[in-house]
Amino acid sequence: MHIHHHPSTPVAARSAARWTRLATAAALVVAAGGALAQDKISDGIVKIGLLSDLSGVYADIVGPGAVIAAKMAIADFGGKVLGKPIELVVADTQNKADITAAKAREWFDTQKVDMLGDVAATAPALAALQVAKQKNKIALFPSAASSRLSNEDCSAISVHWTYDTYALAAGTGRGVVKSGGDSWFFLTADYAFGTNLEKDTTEVIKAEGGKVIGSVRHPLNAADFSSFLLQAQSSKAKIVGLANAGGDMINSIKAANEFGITKNQRLAALLVFINDIHSMGLPVAQGMLLTEAFYWDSSDEARKWSRRFFEQHKRMPNMAQAGIYSGITHYLKAVAATGTDDTTTVMAKMKATPVNDFMTKNGKIREDGRLIRDMYVYEVKKPSESNYPWDYYKLKATIPAEQAFLPLSRSVCPLVKK
């Protein structure tokens, strides 16, 4: 007689119920995971803000070209990060600090902007930085120059990306003094950028054994440079240092040529972008020394990216525009790697990750928020040396990263451990 042992129903029921509970728990975990990913990207969108000069004295340096560079960075990333869309919002700062601060505040509060990809010009950048600090949002500064952004005004949420006034002084200032230009008179834009650039360059000139005879301040977007240049001329300094930029720098060089100042004195323009050389033309600009973080024709990788940019903008990219692409890309990589757009997490990842792209090799973000990278001193070619459009520079010197920027031992940034 065969006795069939049927498993007792209560046990089977209990086991089935346990599996159901486990399956439900697993489903909940998966669902929570999905919700978590959603939560980790605030509002389900990564929104990048660009506060630029779209119509003023720096529009040729940043302006529409900055917007193209930012859009290229987003498109090259696939338009999405962690499956969430990346959006770009743009506003014109009119180079005014108050307008910039108000716009940054509105963006963070009501537009849910996650980070600033650029803020054009020093005074607006310093204003936007204060708002970003209050709101704990990341701010990148690829185009603004003042070394204050990673020195006395440094912050845990910001990176000074491309170049700064210290690097310009270390490159152009030192290069000019070493080539015999040991007495200087400054023509300085009368706001934070100009005064900072004059100060940083003065320190380098004195350290190299040169002297500064005097300086004169001019307003941003000055209509007429004649009175300032006459003072420079009567100073008899060997070098007239131009601590200005964009249209102001171009107009002061043109005026200096008209006045015949360049017959007896050399001009040293401390912040020059390739657009400026293009506007002036090689006959006027030839022989100038300048310090750059990027030149479109410096490598195959740089040329490839720059030609793509040129297709859209009809002019080659400058270091600020290239820096905007580089900075936004580094940010998006950090969001993808950490799975969140949380400011502290993303910034930690950005600082831990070396920057390697078409313009920067082995760049590192220091604790003061300064991206440390090699800088380059170029001389502008003579017209006879230029073989094709935008063939403007010859390399004179490479400044290694650790010499190009303010040493941490001299930094007053509160984040630097002394």
Side-chain angles (χ1 to χ4, degrees), residues 51-89:
L51 288 160
S52 200
D53 177 358
L54 299 178
S55 53
V57 70
Y58 301 137
D60 197 31
I61 293 167
V62 277
V67 179
I68 286 169
K71 285 181 172 171
M72 278 175 73
I74 292 167
D76 288 355
F77 213 81
K80 289 186 166 181
V81 59
L82 302 170
K84 303 286 176 258
I86 305 162
E87 268 184 31
L88 180 71
V89 289

Side-chain angles (χ1 to χ4, degrees), residues 13-24:
R14 277 203 304 277
S15 136
R18 195 170 84 238
W19 280 114
T20 309
R21 278 200 307 278
L22 284 172
T24 309

Side-chain angles (χ1 to χ4, degrees), residues 60 250 272-290 292 294-298 303 310 314-318 377-396:
D60 197 31
I250 292 170
V272 185
F273 293 91
I274 196 163
N275 317 57
D276 303 327
I277 303 300
H278 190 72
S279 299
M280 285 185 267
L282 294 184
V284 171
Q286 61 181 322
M288 278 172 65
L289 280 184
L290 46 90
E292 289 263 23
F294 168 76
Y295 175 43
W296 75 270
D297 206 7
S298 59
R303 279 186 284 277
F310 186 89
K314 300 300 172 246
R315 53 191 63 195
M316 283 300 176
N318 60 38
V377 180
Y378 291 103
E379 186 182 302
V380 178
K381 290 183 170 184
K382 298 185 183 78
S384 60
E385 294 173 311
S386 177
N387 298 314
Y388 39 88
W390 298 86
D391 174 22
Y392 294 159
Y393 293 171
K394 49 188 178 190
L395 184 65
K396 297 299 278 185

Side-chain angles (χ1 to χ4, degrees), residues 328-385:
I328 289 174
T329 301
H330 194 68
Y331 166 79
L332 291 172
K333 282 180 179 169
V335 172
T338 56
T340 178
D341 61 2
D342 170 70
T343 293
T344 312
T345 312
V346 172
M347 186 52 86
K349 185 67 181 172
M350 286 174 74
K351 285 184 172 170
T353 312
V355 180
N356 278 298
D357 56 29
F358 66 93
M359 70 175 296
T360 304
K361 294 292 167 248
N362 299 315
K364 290 181 179 57
I365 301 169
R366 277 193 323 204
E367 59 262 47
D368 59 349
R370 173 69 252 170
L371 174 63
I372 300 299
R373 35 149 315 133
D374 291 353
M375 294 290 290
Y376 309 96
V377 180
Y378 291 103
E379 186 182 302
V380 178
K381 290 183 170 184
K382 298 185 183 78
S384 60
E385 294 173 311

